[in-house]
Amino acid sequence: MHKLHSLLTRQFLFPLFVILLLVSTSFTPLQAFAATHAVRPWMDPSLSPDKRADLLLAQMTLDEKITMLHGTSLGIGLGGYVGHIPANTHLGIPALNLQDGAAGVAGGMTGVTAFPAPVAGAASWDTSLMNQYGQALATEMSGKGANIALSPTVNILRVPQWGRSYESFGEDPYLNSQLGVTEIQGIQSQHIIATVKHLAANNQETDRMSVSAQVDERTLQEIYLPAFHAAVHQGGVGAVMCSYNKVNTIYACEQPYLLHDVLDTQWNFPGFVMSDWYATHSAIEAANAGLDMEMPLGLFYDLPLRVAIGLGQVSMTTINTMVHRILRTMFAFGLFDYPTTGSPGNNVASSAHAQFALQEAEEGTVLLKNDQNILPLDGSKIKSIAVIGADASTSPMIVGGGSASVKAPYVVTPLQGIQKRAGSSISVQYASGSDQKQTAQVASSADVAIVFVNDVEAEGSDRSSLSLPNNQDQLVQTVSQANLHTIVVLNTGAPVLMPWVDQVPGIVEAWYPGQEDGNAIAAILFGDVNPSGKLPMTFPKQAGDVPANTTQQYPGVNGKAVYSEGVFVGYRYYDANHITPLFPFGHGLSYTTFSYSNLSVTPASSQGGTTSVSLDVTNTGSRDGSEVVQLYCGIPSTNVPEPPKQLKGFQKVLLSAGQTRRVTFSLDPSALAYWDVNSHGWVVQKGTYQVMVGSSSSDIRLTSNLTE
Ligand code: BGC
């Protein structure tokens, strides 16, 4: 009876009341506003998100609460959202429409911009660029009616075989943190909730649904969690997605250490946790650990959850907390106050976004090798160019596969970009590379040969080898033998082996560059844009050189991948083991040169809290260009083994030819801390720390000491 009454009241009387008020002729907008608030007090934007969530939650039935906790397949019928929670029209709760957005709006939607892959953004080492990406993405999301973006991915590139390398920001926790934070801030500036993913230690596709990452507490805290922590604390991220894999034998989406101890207790995360798609494995364990939302369906968070509530295995307090977290986040990011009016059919691409996609691709391109200054191409001297490889024309690798894949509205192929830039005074010949003899002939008859090669990465499987697939090493060899002036352009999402490295004078890593592929690479090759990208990961000389080089470590044995390399991931490992990589972390050349001088370190003690590090950087060449100045610290290995250096700061500085600028970093104490497993907290030990500044992790230009 009581239920019926409340239903009647809600369904009929309240709306009737509002309609009566609205039809009144003497009704002013202000009164309408006040009337809505009288009926739905949670719509008062002057109240805090927490208060608004309290008020709304108090009106919700159990059915309505359960509806908020899981997706429905309806999303697909609605035009391609990958996740969907229907609107509650009685209470005025907007629908939640979730969409992937690593490199643009995904989910097969058309009329969107195909931006470069995240790894290209990472290679720009430019936080403001990632912020702009976040804003551009969110604008397109909103135009499509989505209000939750499933981005960024901040999983560490632990193994270069990882099929989702192209979706990542590389191997360093600090670089991941800063790029993730700025992308999140960009997304969330547009009333769209960002989702940082995938918590945690989601570092391989082989057995991804079942493998257990066996990783110790210090390694988790120092390598695999910092970017999530930064997303929460610095970025204010609204949502966290837990991953498919297990962490220390427990599925991530029901892992009490991750969801309760870390997210909730240590970090005070006020947002909500959603599962990766079909990564929920229970109702009771998951809800009690801290998983708030099951995606994409309610396989566990509908009937099984209702049963668990009935049996007292999940308390109503827990359910209320889960719903409250979701509602609070929706209020905090304006989903109630600024509901999206977009819809899936809208064309949301724009020339401004195409221009930005071009800029991002240019900024992310890394000049790996440039012997005898073979680049930039001198348009006044070169009369003919051979462009070689299927990647240059028929199958350019502009985006990786899987949930992050974006439908490009068009693709400027490398061949088209080069032809356009070359103009009529330079002849451009193309060979696909399928016929060796013809390829050699085309290559040998040109002043310069540019060969485009790619790897093929997709979510769901790892690369079986670090070598280029489809005989492309042979292709490079054929071309380099035919023409001494050979430049290799790599369209890869991760490191590849280069057995021909010494046979070619020029190598460029252009990643998966998105729809503006050809225009971006032409601008770099001809020097219209001075390359400024730096590697966000180490390129090994040979497969056996990588940190996780046993089957126990990767892909794992008996369902367990043992992270026995500990904190020695990426360059931390190469440095500690004196292994010279093919190209080091942080490496990237320019068409100009930079010098570093006058390092000064002012310790925290003299200025309360932060240490400041400053130096002069001079552009010593004849072209304007940007340098990514990198700051590494060496923490003493007194208490625990430490890598020789760890990235703790970076700045991308634009310098005109001859210009000098003073660059200043401030290091807060956490930069010098290690995770102490006895106190379960960060500790800065007494001792002498090394401060190193350079142009890559292997090209340290200035060093100093710091005593704590
Ligand atoms: C991926 C997530 C993605 C989700 C929705 C999963 O397969 O791991 O990154 O957000 O699908 O498409």
Side-chain angles (χ1 to χ4, degrees):
M1 186 58 209
H2 174 72
K3 235 180 159 185
L4 186 68
H5 175 258
S6 82
L7 196 74
L8 280 175
T9 313
R10 181 177 303 150
Q11 283 196 329
F12 303 110
L13 297 185
F14 278 3
L16 195 68
F17 171 63
V18 175
I19 289 164
L20 281 177
L21 282 177
L22 286 173
V23 293
S24 150
T25 46
S26 60
F27 208 63
T28 67
L30 195 67
Q31 281 168 317
F33 182 74
T36 311
H37 288 185
V39 181
R40 291 177 174 162
W42 54 86
M43 287 308 292
D44 179 353
S46 71
L47 301 176
S48 71
D50 272 310
K51 180 71 190 163
R52 296 174 76 178
D54 288 344
L55 292 167
L56 175 49
L57 187 69
Q59 297 302 314
M60 292 173 79
T61 63
L62 179 60
D63 277 350
E64 287 170 330
K65 290 176 184 173
I66 296 282
T67 302
M68 293 304 298
L69 299 181
H70 66 82
T72 71
S73 55
L74 251 179
I76 294 157
L78 283 179
Y81 303 121
V82 73
H84 172 72
I85 291 182
N88 179 328
T89 46
H90 306 155
L91 297 172
I93 306 176
L96 288 177
N97 294 324
L98 291 69
Q99 192 60 288
D100 285 296
V105 178
M109 285 183 161
T110 54
V112 301
T113 306
F115 295 96
V119 70
S124 77
W125 292 57
D126 185 340
T127 49
S128 68
L129 194 82
M130 286 319 292
N131 186 275
Q132 269 178 274
Y133 168 69
Q135 289 186 39
L137 173 74
T139 314
E140 295 203 4
M141 286 275 176
S142 179
K144 289 288 193 184
N147 47 17
I148 301 190
L150 306 176
S151 190
T153 293
V154 297
N155 292 118
I156 295 291
L157 185 82
R158 173 178 180 249
V159 294
Q161 296 91 332
W162 188 29
R164 301 184 82 169
S165 301
Y166 78 93
E167 283 185 60
S168 86
F169 291 145
E171 71 190 23
D172 181 76
Y174 182 78
L175 183 60
N176 261 272
S177 300
Q178 296 316 306
L179 298 171
V181 162
T182 44
E183 181 182 331
I184 289 163
Q185 288 168 339
I187 293 173
Q188 294 189 160
S189 67
Q190 309 294 309
H191 306 302
I192 301 280
I193 296 171
T195 310
V196 68
K197 63 189 189 180
H198 314 78
L199 189 77
N202 181 208
N203 308 111
Q204 64 186 63
E205 296 304 281
T206 309
D207 303 326
R208 69 167 177 164
M209 301 284 191
S210 59
V211 71
S212 178
Q214 300 295 114
V215 48
D216 64 84
E217 182 185 333
R218 176 182 172 217
T219 302
L220 263 179
Q221 291 283 353
E222 290 195 17
I223 303 290
Y224 297 100
L225 293 179
F228 290 96
H229 181 234
V232 169
H233 269 210
Q234 259 179 280
V237 75
V240 170
M241 185 191 290
C242 52
S243 56
Y244 286 128
N245 55 290
K246 297 172 189 153
V247 176
N248 296 327
T249 72
I250 303 173
Y251 279 113
C253 289
E254 57 189 51
Q255 231 295 0
Y257 178 72
L258 292 177
L259 304 186
H260 180 265
D261 301 6
V262 172
L263 258 188
D264 208 13
T265 312
Q266 288 172 15
W267 299 352
N268 255 317
F269 173 55
F272 66 93
V273 180
M274 75 172 78
S275 72
D276 199 344
W277 271 230
Y278 304 103
T280 310
H281 292 270
S282 62
I284 304 168
E285 289 82 352
N288 288 333
L291 172 67
D292 304 305
M293 182 189 283
E294 178 186 4
M295 275 292 156
L297 298 171
L299 302 180
F300 292 93
Y301 271 23
D302 203 320
L303 202 58
L305 189 58
R306 289 172 195 271
V307 172
I309 297 166
L311 294 173
Q313 291 159 317
V314 174
S315 71
M316 261 329 281
T317 312
T318 300
I319 297 294
N320 286 339
T321 305
M322 293 157 70
V323 179
H324 193 278
R325 282 176 171 277
I326 297 166
L327 295 174
R328 186 210 164 276
T329 310
M330 292 172 70
F331 282 118
F333 293 103
L335 271 57
F336 282 83
D337 304 331
Y338 307 91
T340 159
T341 51
S343 77
N346 289 349
N347 184 343
V348 293
S350 65
S351 54
H353 286 184
Q355 191 56 38
F356 177 71
L358 171 63
Q359 187 198 341
E360 201 188 342
E362 291 166 349
E363 270 213 55
T365 301
V366 185
L367 179 60
L368 293 175
K369 181 174 179 183
N370 195 19
D371 282 1
Q372 302 117 39
N373 291 332
I374 181 134
L375 288 172
L377 301 174
D378 185 344
S380 66
K381 291 200 184 122
I382 287 172
K383 295 283 162 269
S384 55
I385 301 176
V387 175
I388 292 161
D391 182 77
S393 176
T394 45
S395 46
M397 192 67 194
I398 63 137
V399 66
S403 59
S405 189
V406 175
K407 271 208 168 127
Y410 63 83
V411 174
V412 179
T413 66
L415 179 60
Q416 289 166 342
I418 290 170
Q419 275 169 334
K420 190 169 123 212
R421 177 60 180 78
S424 54
S425 58
I426 302 177
S427 113
V428 178
Q429 300 297 317
Y430 172 69
S432 72
S434 54
D435 176 336
Q436 266 213 31
K437 221 168 125 206
Q438 186 238 0
T439 303
Q441 204 176 4
V442 170
S444 64
S445 62
D447 293 336
V448 182
I450 310 174
V451 53
F452 286 79
V453 291
N454 60 30
D455 72 343
V456 181
E457 288 177 27
E459 180 184 337
S461 59
D462 288 331
R463 286 186 300 159
S464 55
S465 153
L466 297 185
S467 297
L468 285 168
N470 306 325
N471 285 326
Q472 292 177 100
D473 284 333
Q474 181 58 54
L475 176 65
V476 175
Q477 248 131 21
T478 303
V479 176
S480 67
Q481 275 157 19
N483 192 323
L484 287 177
H485 302 131
T486 291
I487 295 148
V488 177
V489 177
L490 298 157
N491 283 124
T492 69
V496 288
L497 303 179
M498 304 182 204
W500 34 260
V501 67
D502 295 329
Q503 291 155 33
V504 297
I507 306 175
V508 179
E509 174 58 87
W511 315 107
Y512 298 163
Q515 66 189 35
E516 287 288 328
D517 182 357
N519 287 335
I521 196 65
I524 294 280
L525 294 171
F526 282 89
D528 306 332
V529 169
N530 192 350
S532 63
K534 300 272 188 177
L535 290 180
M537 82 274 284
T538 311
F539 276 45
K541 273 195 176 150
Q542 50 202 8
D545 285 351
V546 302
N549 53 40
T550 67
T551 41
Q552 271 85 1
Q553 289 169 291
Y554 169 79
V557 174
N558 296 330
K560 289 179 179 166
V562 184
Y563 286 38
S564 51
E565 70 282 0
V567 300
F568 295 89
V569 170
Y571 64 91
R572 289 164 166 78
Y573 170 85
Y574 290 82
D575 282 354
N577 293 284
H578 309 288
I579 298 171
T580 307
L582 184 59
F583 296 109
F585 174 81
H587 170 74
L589 304 171
S590 165
Y591 296 150
T592 186
T593 47
F594 301 97
S595 77
Y596 288 57
S597 58
N598 300 328
L599 176 65
S600 83
V601 177
T602 315
S605 46
S606 63
Q607 48 178 17
T610 60
T611 297
S612 68
V613 176
S614 45
L615 69 149
D616 289 333
V617 184
T618 304
N619 180 343
T620 46
S622 53
R623 272 174 189 261
D624 300 353
S626 293
E627 168 71 326
V628 178
V629 183
Q630 301 160 41
L631 168 66
Y632 296 87
C633 289
I635 300 179
S637 290
T638 327
N639 298 354
V640 285
E642 290 287 358
K645 62 175 97 72
Q646 307 191 44
L647 184 74
K648 296 295 176 181
F650 62 89
Q651 273 180 51
K652 191 162 192 170
V653 204
L654 174 64
L655 294 166
S656 44
Q659 192 189 355
T660 299
R661 261 168 68 176
R662 191 131 189 98
V663 176
T664 301
F665 296 95
S666 60
L667 280 176
D668 72 54
S670 66
L672 305 178
Y674 73 94
W675 183 265
D676 177 40
V677 292
N678 300 314
S679 61
H680 306 292
W682 296 99
V683 168
V684 179
Q685 64 197 306
K686 296 262 171 259
T688 304
Y689 292 71
Q690 265 199 298
V691 175
M692 294 160 268
V693 186
S695 183
S696 89
S697 64
S698 298
D699 184 8
I700 298 300
R701 305 286 183 86
L702 302 168
T703 58
S704 179
N705 284 341
L706 173 68
T707 308
E708 278 292 315

